[in-house]
Amino acid sequence: MALRDILTLPDPRLRLVSKPVGAVTDDIRRLSDDMLETMYAAPGIGLAAIQIGEPLRLVVIDLAKKDEERRPIVLVDPEITWSSEERRVHEEGCLSIPEYYEEVERPDRVRYRYRTLAGEVVEGEADGMLATCLQHEIDHLNGTMFIDYLSRLKRSRVLRKFEKAARREGA
Ligand code: ZN
């Protein structure tokens, strides 16, 4: 396992549409290990492969609280197959937009489908934190970030802040 750098706003790679993983190879298993290690170190509750520069439809999630045992989930080629009409507002953050949190409105419940590393198909319905997290991470696979749901004013304010920081670092 290796700790990887997390891309941050305004890195243009975060806007790429990721490609299907297809068959799970040793490279994919290694990549998912790196993603978990990087997510735990950050720390965060979800990470998409593109956030470490790999444009593949691979996501890791662990919603366990600090004092609980880890519950890592690796999602290969995940999809949202249904979203509820009802929506709810939840505060979101993103490892690619460090230290920025804002309320986002999304469908309250979703149904999802993904494959495990072992090739099993998992389908389920989620609400609460898992529903938010799944939508947030699967958005990354399509080049969408949670700031895209904010008002134009809020979005341009956060973009400007991160563009300025990137210039300061000479990136
Ligand atoms: Zn994110």
Side-chain angles (χ1 to χ4, degrees):
M1 297 226 277
L3 206 54
R4 306 271 295 257
D5 287 335
I6 298 177
L7 307 184
T8 54
L9 212 63
D11 194 307
R13 287 171 289 179
L14 290 167
R15 293 306 189 174
L16 292 174
V17 176
S18 294
K19 295 200 169 60
V21 170
V24 173
T25 60
D26 284 346
D27 281 346
I28 293 298
R29 271 184 277 271
R30 265 193 296 274
L31 175 59
S32 59
D33 282 347
D34 287 357
M35 287 167 64
L36 282 168
E37 187 179 347
T38 304
M39 176 184 79
Y40 287 128
I45 58 172
L47 188 77
I50 191 58
Q51 292 181 274
I52 58 166
E54 306 279 354
L56 286 166
R57 304 186 84 82
L58 187 65
V59 164
V60 295
I61 290 175
D62 191 334
L63 298 181
K65 298 197 178 66
K66 246 185 252 161
D67 51 346
E68 291 175 342
E69 225 174 288
R70 285 180 175 178
R71 288 196 305 270
I73 317 174
V74 178
L75 303 93
V76 178
D77 294 331
E79 298 169 71
I80 300 291
T81 55
W82 172 85
S83 309
S84 67
E85 299 271 330
E86 311 92 273
R87 298 167 74 83
R88 69 169 201 135
V89 173
H90 189 262
E91 191 181 70
E92 294 187 32
C94 180
L95 294 177
S96 295
I97 314 174
E99 280 155 52
Y100 180 76
Y101 303 91
E102 194 52 75
E103 289 190 330
V104 178
E105 188 187 301
R106 296 185 185 267
D108 179 44
R109 281 174 300 126
V110 294
R111 288 197 199 114
Y112 57 89
R113 174 165 54 218
Y114 65 90
R115 281 181 299 124
T116 65
L117 288 174
E120 290 162 275
V121 175
V122 176
E123 287 180 288
E125 189 169 321
D127 59 10
M129 182 82 116
L130 181 58
T132 296
C133 194
L134 284 166
Q135 294 176 77
H136 177 121
E137 299 310 329
I138 292 171
D139 270 353
H140 274 301
L141 307 182
N142 298 318
T144 301
M145 298 179 82
F146 85 86
I147 53 168
D148 300 346
Y149 300 109
L150 306 180
S151 68
R152 190 190 286 263
L153 179 70
K154 279 183 181 166
R155 189 169 59 244
S156 60
R157 207 183 281 153
V158 62
L159 267 171
R160 260 203 313 277
K161 184 178 142 196
F162 278 87
E163 277 161 3
K164 225 191 251 172
R167 275 200 299 276
R168 263 203 308 275
E169 285 159 24

